[in-house]
Amino acid sequence: MSKKIILSFDYELFFGYKSGTVRKSLIEPTAKMLKAMEKVGAKATYFVDYLMIKYLEKANDKICNSDLKLIKEQLHDILRKGHRIELHIHPHWVDAIYNGDGTWNFDNFSHYMLTSFSIEEINRMFNEGTNTINQIAREVIPDYSVVAFRAGGWALPQMSVISSSFLRNKIMLDSSLGRGILINDGYRIIDFTKIPTKSFYHISSDALKEDINGCFIEAPISTFKYTFIDRVINGFYRLLHKNEMKYQCDGTHSRKDVSFKRDKTYFLKKINRVCRSTVIFFTLSHFSPLVLNHKFKCFNKEIVIVIDHPKDFSNSSIKTLLLISKSNRFITYKQLLNQSNE
């Protein structure tokens, strides 16, 4: 069955102990993906971490000013090619420390979630962020307006907290959830195990519950079960295609080097972790193109919403894109929003 695919990319640096550089972790991988999407006629949505732009401006040194120029030029190029840019907020930028060499220290995650701020501060971030993205976009498209949001780390506050910010900034769609995702890592507690199974649905005060009279749309990122068999296939593929699967950016997701004692249960826990099925976001990266293409074909909904990041780019990302483009077509969140209003 032919499907509609929404490609979304979170346009941001790494938040591990190596943030990576703007050129290697954003500009270069995005340029490669834009070229590949042009070949297959795919349009994508880039959720731009506006606080990254704000703090690059604030640092105001030669490297950051150059990085900022590269980012704005690339966002303009993204828009000229028919893609969308929308609002993304990683609030722990407020605690980031600039290293002076184009990289950042993100050791402090006390403000990882938007709910660590007051409602007034959250409103200010939405207003500032929307204005930032709109100003950049309107240099290319004069009447451009942001319509969608994704929370950093998928840590979406209650809609009752942010609905006024959505309305004030004409944001009508969120795409921060993913059915079956459960995370408790010390930075956030996320439980999306019981959200509606629909590709998108109307919401009002709670994004986890459908409200047919709600004025906002929730479009959850699509997920699939990653099984033991998938892990085996993926492992063999990585062995045989090391160069293709090799990440090309210069940062890391790893946040700290934790030394621990391997007790008697360590290997049992590791075996259990490898053997059990886990729920994974649909993506173009990390996994074998063969596994991903199979998951796309087996997905039982008409719309597949994909999340990826330029910083996770490898040549396998392009191979996956080419495979899924053969029998599917691509739409943007703006088109989905228009469809929901028909």
Side-chain angles (χ1 to χ4, degrees):
M1 179 180 71
S2 178
K3 298 179 177 66
K4 298 175 184 176
I5 298 177
I6 297 179
L7 293 177
S8 69
F9 296 91
D10 289 1
Y11 194 83
E12 63 192 35
L13 292 177
F14 286 93
F15 298 119
Y17 63 85
K18 286 176 64 178
S19 70
T21 61
V22 165
R23 185 178 291 276
K24 288 292 183 182
S25 295
L26 270 181
I27 304 302
E28 292 181 5
T30 298
K32 291 176 181 177
M33 185 54 69
L34 287 172
K35 188 174 181 180
M37 288 192 293
E38 193 167 15
K39 287 182 179 179
V40 299
K43 302 303 179 188
T45 298
Y46 285 83
F47 284 97
V48 181
D49 186 356
Y50 104 88
L51 282 173
M52 170 181 65
I53 293 173
K54 177 179 179 176
Y55 280 85
L56 284 171
E57 290 177 339
K58 190 175 180 180
N60 193 30
D61 76 341
K62 184 177 180 180
I63 298 174
C64 289
N65 290 339
S66 174
D67 286 344
L68 191 60
K69 184 174 183 289
L70 289 172
I71 286 172
K72 290 183 177 180
E73 288 174 349
Q74 185 161 74
L75 293 180
H76 289 164
D77 187 43
I78 285 169
L79 292 163
R80 290 191 186 98
K81 292 181 185 299
H83 307 284
R84 295 276 306 178
I85 60 174
E86 305 289 356
L87 179 62
H88 191 38
I89 302 178
H90 268 289
H92 55 280
W93 267 98
V94 301
D95 298 312
I97 299 172
Y98 181 51
N99 293 326
D101 61 355
T103 67
W104 296 79
N105 180 318
F106 290 109
D107 287 346
N108 189 342
F109 285 88
S110 57
H111 288 98
Y112 193 83
M113 299 179 67
L114 276 169
T115 49
S116 64
F117 297 89
S118 68
I119 292 179
E120 291 75 17
E121 289 171 319
I122 292 172
N123 285 333
R124 187 160 57 247
M125 285 186 191
F126 271 92
N127 297 342
E128 190 177 71
T130 305
N131 287 336
T132 297
I133 304 304
N134 280 340
Q135 284 175 9
I136 292 171
R138 287 171 185 171
E139 293 176 8
V140 176
I141 305 171
D143 62 347
Y144 194 91
S145 184
V146 164
V147 298
F149 171 72
R150 175 169 292 154
W154 314 295
L156 183 72
Q158 282 287 337
M159 288 302 298
S160 57
V161 173
I162 59 175
S163 59
S164 61
S165 293
F166 269 48
L167 289 172
R168 186 180 300 109
N169 294 289
K170 300 179 181 179
I171 297 171
M172 304 309 296
L173 181 148
D174 174 74
S175 187
S176 303
L177 313 187
R179 183 169 175 78
I181 297 296
L182 181 63
I183 302 173
N184 184 353
D185 57 8
Y187 307 113
R188 70 225 141 138
I189 300 175
I190 290 172
D191 186 350
F192 300 150
T193 55
K194 297 179 181 178
I195 68 172
T197 58
K198 296 181 177 180
S199 295
F200 64 93
Y201 53 92
H202 286 268
I203 58 172
S204 53
S205 60
D206 187 349
L208 278 66
K209 297 179 181 178
E210 181 178 18
D211 180 351
I212 58 174
N213 297 314
C215 61
F216 307 117
I217 296 293
E218 176 59 44
I221 305 159
S222 302
T223 58
F224 64 88
K225 280 191 176 181
Y226 187 55
T227 67
F228 173 70
I229 298 299
D230 295 329
R231 291 178 193 275
V232 172
I233 295 171
N234 202 54
F236 276 113
Y237 192 93
R238 281 185 174 277
L239 285 174
L240 296 173
H241 301 84
K242 289 182 180 179
N243 290 334
E244 178 188 307
M245 299 293 291
K246 184 180 179 181
Y247 298 120
Q248 298 183 14
C249 304
D250 58 356
T252 179
H253 290 287
S254 300
R255 291 185 177 164
K256 53 187 175 181
D257 183 15
V258 180
S259 59
F260 59 92
K261 184 178 180 181
R262 296 186 178 185
D263 59 22
K264 295 179 181 179
T265 64
Y266 170 76
F267 289 105
L268 288 175
K269 289 178 180 177
K270 188 169 184 179
I271 291 171
N272 180 54
R273 189 164 59 248
V274 170
C275 290
R276 74 171 186 263
S277 295
T278 54
V279 177
I280 302 291
F281 286 121
F282 268 92
T283 183
L284 302 179
S285 304
H286 302 300
F287 308 104
S288 154
L290 299 179
V291 169
L292 288 172
N293 191 42
H294 175 70
K295 297 298 181 181
F296 274 95
K297 287 181 178 179
C298 294
F299 195 62
N300 61 359
K301 293 184 178 60
E302 181 190 5
I303 298 174
V304 188
I305 299 179
V306 177
I307 184 173
D308 213 315
H309 301 74
K311 62 191 180 186
D312 290 331
F313 177 85
S314 68
N315 287 331
S316 70
S317 307
I318 290 178
K319 188 169 183 178
T320 300
L321 174 69
L322 296 176
L323 285 173
I324 65 173
S325 69
K326 291 180 179 179
S327 57
N328 304 294
R329 67 186 183 93
F330 300 90
I331 64 171
T332 64
Y333 287 101
K334 181 70 180 294
Q335 290 172 304
L336 178 64
L337 193 59
N338 292 341
Q339 175 185 329
S340 70
N341 293 326
E342 291 176 354

